[in-house]
Amino acid sequence: MFIGRDRELKSLEELYHKKAFGMTVIYGRRRIGKSTLISEFLKDKKAVCYTATKVGAERNLELFSHQVLSVLDPAYAKVKFPSIESVFDVITGKLGKEKLVIVIDELPYWAESDEPLLSIIQKYVDTEWAGKNMMLILCGSSLSFMESKILSEKSPLFGRRDSQIKLEPFSYRDAALFVPGYSAEDKAICYGVTGGVAKYLAMFDPEKSLDDNIKRLFFNSDGYLFDEPRNLLAQEFSDTALVNNIIEQIASGENTLNTIAGKVREKEPTVLYSLEKLIETGLVERRKCITDEKNKKKTQYILKDTMFKFWYSFIPKAYSVIGMGQGDTYYDKVVKGALHQFMGSVFEQMCRYYTLEQGLQGKFGNFITEVGNYWGQEQLEGEDGQKRQQTADIDVVALSGSDKTAIIGECKFRNDKLDRSVYDTLLRRARLISSGYRVTGYLLFSLGGFSEGLESLGRGDTKLITLEEMYK
């Protein structure tokens, strides 16, 4: 069953029904669901769909031409062509009243070994296919290639596309559609351990419990996700040892360039190069303090893919146990009790998404257009009158640029009811927000609900939000 991606499908359908030629670019990290999206779109449509591989230009030409002929002229499917131009000429000659869709998936694999390919596509778009009843879809998993070689001003194809779709992981709301019968808590954890990645969500059996699915996928040596991060890194990076060490440090809580470099015992430029590659592949995110973005010292590196965070938090320590067939026991005794702690940062991310979603609708009394978090130092005065500095963070900071107002919030993914002390801390830290913004509202997010003292607070500028409400 195909789930979600309504906006993307609508975009593709609109381009398909456009008169004459249309071209779109679809890109996103591996396992994100690009091919599934394209397959769903192509239902009941005449299409040539070719997935390139790392076999060189000549072999890709041979396989592509075979795919073209098998759809357009099956009697000549085994004919070999001397050039890509000759195959494109066949396509051009077959264009008629019925719209034809041409899909080249994993384009970077082919284009990297065939330098003229993009220029040749550009020539046919400009001279042969313009005005013809055809749609061209170019797709790839290499974000850096797609952005620099296909979408940038330096690309031969620049200005030719009608649209582009960067496919992202599912939001926590859409991820819940894969396991509709789960409780709100289990839906959130399912989102956390899969990172909202389509391939991983599709492997969850909604008829089985959350625990059973996690055990089967992660904590069995034949589970799909048991060695998935290592497989992905091997496909994307040549120096997997260094990249693996960097990810391990980020997963353990090290999030600045100098601390990561110190832990892996490499020079900062070397580590930064790998971090940039990890960012390009969608695995790591560079995060800046929302009200102090120009401060380079306030730059953190976090794992954008929370499946990687889950995996690095638990699997490497359990390799030998899983190899002995005791992964289920390890999960029950070690992992299950630590899930709420793991979900802390994931829940904060979910709350920021919820805040932006609601804020764009004006649900907080202003028009929220930007959401992030804050971290820094605050000064406290003790009972003895002595002043001291301590670290301080605010989980949710939502900004309205139009009226320079802010909404701030705290998030707790734990069974205990959130008490008044969390609220008081949030009020105190409101003064840390840049003087350019006026704090007009407070949000408290809680898995376990709220204490009586908070529920009776009754302040119009404070909203108490449960996990169940976030899924409504």
Side-chain angles (χ1 to χ4, degrees):
M1 182 175 63
F2 184 80
I3 294 174
R5 306 300 192 196
D6 295 335
R7 187 173 65 245
E8 291 84 357
L9 278 176
K10 181 181 178 182
S11 173
L12 291 171
E13 287 291 345
E14 287 176 350
L15 183 57
Y16 179 79
H17 291 289
K18 168 191 171 183
K19 292 183 179 179
F21 177 81
M23 172 179 151
T24 191
V25 176
I26 301 175
Y27 66 114
R29 53 154 293 187
R30 295 181 191 280
R31 318 288 200 260
I32 210 69
K34 301 182 297 298
S35 299
T36 303
L37 171 66
I38 292 170
S39 296
E40 180 68 16
F41 165 68
L42 291 179
K43 285 182 177 179
D44 304 320
K45 294 179 177 66
K46 184 178 182 181
V48 174
C49 189
Y50 175 65
T51 301
T53 54
K54 293 181 178 181
V55 292
E58 186 175 337
R59 180 59 174 161
N60 272 307
L61 169 62
E62 182 181 346
L63 294 172
F64 176 67
S65 60
H66 175 77
Q67 191 67 25
V68 169
L69 290 175
S70 66
V71 173
L72 302 182
D73 202 341
Y76 295 92
K78 294 184 178 180
V79 172
K80 291 188 177 182
F81 290 85
S83 66
I84 188 62
E85 290 98 322
S86 57
V87 184
F88 285 170
D89 287 340
V90 170
I91 292 173
T92 305
K94 294 291 183 179
L95 295 176
K97 292 183 178 180
E98 182 181 9
K99 176 151 283 188
L100 174 66
V101 183
I102 302 292
V103 179
I104 304 180
D105 198 355
E106 296 299 355
L107 175 64
Y109 288 157
W110 188 352
E112 286 173 344
S113 62
D114 189 351
E115 189 174 338
L117 178 63
L118 298 182
S119 295
I120 294 171
I121 294 175
Q122 174 248 313
K123 181 183 75 173
Y124 275 79
V125 169
D126 290 348
T127 61
E128 301 294 333
W129 298 335
K132 298 292 178 63
N133 205 14
M134 174 182 161
M135 178 177 176
L136 177 64
I137 299 176
L138 303 179
C139 182
S141 299
S142 172
L143 273 66
S144 59
F145 184 95
M146 298 301 289
E147 290 175 346
S148 64
K149 303 295 184 181
I150 306 297
L151 299 173
S152 77
E153 294 181 3
K154 297 180 180 180
S155 169
L157 295 170
F158 181 74
R160 272 77 180 177
R161 70 186 183 279
D162 295 270
S163 64
Q164 65 189 60
I165 297 173
K166 184 179 182 181
L167 215 57
E168 299 284 1
F170 284 106
S171 70
Y172 77 89
R173 285 188 186 278
D174 286 342
L177 299 174
F178 287 82
V179 284
Y182 278 17
S183 67
E185 180 179 348
D186 285 355
K187 286 176 180 176
I189 295 173
C190 174
Y191 169 73
V193 301
T194 61
V197 174
K199 178 72 172 180
Y200 311 148
L201 284 165
M203 291 187 164
F204 264 67
D205 184 345
E207 301 300 319
K208 295 183 183 297
S209 71
L210 172 73
D211 292 335
D212 286 345
N213 274 302
I214 295 176
K215 289 175 182 178
R216 173 175 57 86
L217 292 171
F218 286 96
F219 293 92
N220 281 286
S221 56
D222 60 349
Y224 184 86
L225 297 175
F226 168 65
D227 224 11
E228 172 69 350
R230 295 191 189 279
N231 292 335
L232 277 176
L233 294 180
Q235 293 175 34
E236 297 285 352
F237 299 93
S238 55
D239 191 355
T240 55
L242 175 58
V243 170
N244 182 71
N245 287 342
I246 290 172
I247 295 177
E248 281 184 345
Q249 296 307 318
I250 298 175
S252 68
E254 304 296 347
N255 53 31
T256 63
L257 176 59
N258 64 324
T259 56
I260 296 170
K263 291 287 185 179
V264 301
R265 299 182 180 180
E266 289 283 354
K267 295 180 179 178
E268 289 189 13
T270 302
V271 173
L272 183 60
Y273 176 81
S274 294
L275 283 169
E276 294 291 350
K277 289 292 184 182
L278 285 165
I279 291 170
E280 288 176 1
T281 55
L283 300 178
V284 167
E285 177 184 1
R286 182 189 289 108
R287 180 173 291 174
K288 294 183 179 293
C289 182
I290 189 168
T291 58
D292 199 9
E293 293 186 342
K294 293 183 179 180
N295 187 346
K296 292 184 178 180
K297 293 181 179 179
K298 283 193 174 183
T299 299
Q300 295 181 345
Y301 295 92
I302 65 167
L303 285 178
K304 185 177 181 181
D305 188 324
T306 57
M307 185 279 285
F308 266 67
K309 181 176 176 60
F310 178 77
W311 192 93
Y312 276 89
S313 296
F314 299 109
I315 302 299
K317 302 170 188 175
Y319 257 127
S320 58
V321 177
I322 295 172
M324 294 174 66
Q326 296 299 311
D328 289 10
T329 303
Y330 181 86
Y331 174 82
D332 290 332
K333 292 186 177 297
V334 177
V335 180
K336 187 171 175 59
L339 283 176
H340 281 189
Q341 181 180 355
F342 158 75
M343 282 296 296
S345 60
V346 179
F347 187 49
E348 291 173 14
Q349 173 191 320
M350 292 169 58
C351 295
R352 286 190 284 268
Y353 180 92
Y354 174 88
T355 302
L356 181 59
E357 178 187 60
Q358 299 295 305
L360 286 169
Q361 301 173 39
K363 294 293 181 66
F364 305 127
N366 52 4
F367 183 56
I368 299 296
T369 56
E370 186 180 4
V371 177
N373 62 329
Y374 171 90
W375 64 92
Q377 297 285 322
E378 66 174 339
Q379 188 176 72
L380 298 179
E381 185 173 331
E383 295 180 359
D384 57 359
Q386 294 292 319
K387 294 182 179 180
R388 58 186 176 83
Q389 294 275 344
Q390 72 173 22
T391 58
D393 62 81
I394 304 174
D395 299 334
V396 177
V397 179
L399 305 178
S400 172
S402 58
D403 59 6
K404 295 299 181 181
T405 58
I407 305 291
I408 63 174
E410 282 293 307
C411 321
K412 302 296 179 186
F413 197 86
R414 60 192 186 198
N415 290 326
D416 300 336
K417 291 187 176 182
L418 196 148
D419 60 28
R420 181 64 185 254
S421 65
V422 176
Y423 175 67
D424 291 338
T425 299
L426 183 61
L427 288 181
R428 187 184 73 237
R429 290 179 177 173
R431 67 173 184 254
L432 300 175
I433 301 302
S434 168
S435 58
Y437 291 89
R438 177 171 54 91
V439 177
T440 59
Y442 305 88
L443 307 176
L444 297 175
F445 298 89
S446 174
L447 168 66
F450 305 91
S451 66
E452 292 182 8
L454 279 178
E455 288 181 339
S456 60
L457 193 64
R459 291 187 55 156
D461 61 357
T462 302
K463 294 186 182 298
L464 310 182
I465 303 163
T466 63
L467 181 61
E468 285 77 10
E469 290 177 64
M470 292 173 63
Y471 278 101
K472 289 180 180 178

